[in-house]
Amino acid sequence: MSERVLGVLGDLVEDIVVWLAEPLREATDTQVDLYRTRGGSAANVAMFAGTRHPTRFIGCVGDDAVGGALAAELASYGVDVRVQRRGTTGTVVVLVDDRGERTMLPHQGASALLADVDQHWYDDLAHLHVTAYSLVARPVGDTALAAVRRMHAQHATVSVDVSSTGLLRRYGRSWFLQVLAGVRPRFLFANRSEAAFLELMRDRALAETVVVVKDGEHPTTVLAPGEPPLRVDVPHVDDVHDRTGAGDAFAAGFLTAYLRGADLSGCAEAAHATAARVLRTPGATLDR
């Protein structure tokens, strides 16, 4: 691997993706198409990045057949997979409506159990990406924070994905911003609702962080310290069916471009191109 390895720490789970063929009918049957795919925000980032750049995934899956299969599938995309095995592999049920919008029912399972990581797994990482999911659960949250400290000590950069407005509401704005202040990320990725909850567009509480705000088909806004807002148009995509994993693909495209020396505009353009490849397929899978 090159010395500019992208590391991703966090969740690797099974997604059960349910495409609703009609509005959800309470207390009776609803017609659906159902798919089982690899999921987990961190693992999705690693997969999308692994097709473009040397990438290492660090996580925990269950000591079960599902966990082994998910790790092997992730490795098939060129990802250097380092996983612990304990507990039961997590599962996320993803309900997708006719607009491609998702409602998620997550169970982290073994993903939350990552602990006592072999420190050699962090060797030669130039950048580490973590998700908010992996900052708040325990013991993985303590593991992620220790990994962040290791990154700063070896002069690597760090990024965080805000992950979920539901998660933010459970823990609160002040608490989450305090966590981020300790992490000191180079990049923070958020969608429009997450950015609004954290007031990222008007309150630059993270003075050293480049904040990247996604807004669906509307321009992405990049807020760099000391610079005017940069807005990058999103190319049109026809036949959007499933937005699952689009944000993870965006982060992968952005970070791999960053590690290859692109400027912020080029990073956002690469992010849009990567995200466009997952909008027609079930779950976080590539449109080949």
Side-chain angles (χ1 to χ4, degrees):
M1 284 190 175
S2 81
E3 59 183 11
R4 302 287 289 168
V5 178
L6 170 64
V8 187
L9 184 151
D11 47 334
L12 171 57
V13 302
E14 180 181 38
D15 277 0
I16 300 177
V17 181
V18 182
W19 283 6
L20 299 173
E22 58 183 340
L24 190 64
R25 297 175 180 271
E26 187 176 354
T28 188
D29 297 343
T30 301
Q31 293 295 312
V32 304
D33 292 312
L34 187 146
Y35 308 88
R36 293 179 180 270
T37 69
R38 178 220 59 264
S41 179
N44 294 342
V45 173
M47 185 276 284
F48 295 127
T51 64
R52 302 165 53 87
H53 190 86
T55 301
R56 180 176 303 146
F57 173 80
I58 298 169
C60 183
V61 295
D63 188 15
D64 49 35
V66 173
L70 291 173
E73 195 262 1
L74 182 58
S76 74
Y77 286 90
V79 179
D80 176 16
V81 177
R82 312 285 181 96
V83 292
Q84 297 175 347
R85 302 289 299 272
R86 64 172 66 92
T88 302
T89 299
T91 303
V92 180
V93 177
V94 186
L95 305 180
V96 183
D97 65 18
D98 59 359
R99 299 168 299 150
E101 200 51 80
R102 302 98 59 241
T103 299
M104 289 171 283
L105 309 174
H107 178 257
Q108 280 187 287
S111 291
L113 302 180
L114 182 68
D116 301 320
V117 170
D118 182 339
Q119 293 299 295
H120 291 300
W121 290 6
Y122 300 127
D123 290 348
D124 68 15
L125 296 186
H127 183 93
L128 180 70
H129 179 74
V130 298
T131 66
Y133 294 125
S134 297
L135 288 172
V136 301
R138 293 294 179 272
V140 66
D142 296 326
T143 302
L145 291 174
V148 165
R149 291 192 291 271
R150 168 72 183 265
M151 291 301 101
H152 288 310
Q154 66 191 46
H155 306 292
T157 48
V158 176
S159 58
V160 173
D161 194 304
V162 175
S163 298
S164 162
T165 51
L167 179 149
L168 293 175
R169 292 189 181 103
R170 281 197 297 276
Y171 291 91
R173 176 180 183 270
S174 296
W175 182 88
F176 189 71
L177 289 176
Q178 185 178 14
V179 171
L180 289 177
V183 172
R184 292 183 291 131
R186 171 63 174 152
F187 300 108
L188 179 67
F189 298 100
N191 64 27
R192 179 179 58 184
S193 63
E194 294 158 357
F197 184 91
L198 294 174
E199 301 178 11
L200 296 175
M201 300 291 281
R202 68 177 184 84
D203 182 4
R204 297 307 314 278
L206 303 169
E208 300 178 358
T209 298
V210 176
V211 176
V212 184
V213 181
K214 303 161 290 181
D215 190 10
E217 67 273 21
H218 304 293
T220 292
T221 302
V222 182
L223 303 171
E227 300 290 338
L230 170 67
R231 291 185 171 82
V232 183
D233 288 336
V234 179
H236 178 71
V237 177
D238 291 319
D239 193 26
V240 173
H241 203 142
D242 188 342
R243 300 178 192 272
T244 306
D248 303 325
F250 180 100
F254 191 103
L255 293 173
T256 54
Y258 163 70
L259 289 172
R260 293 180 177 185
D263 61 14
L264 292 176
S265 179
C267 288
E269 290 169 357
H272 292 153
T274 309
R277 297 186 60 196
V278 305
L279 296 173
R280 300 184 183 94
T281 55
T285 55
L286 283 168
D287 178 0
R288 296 177 190 264

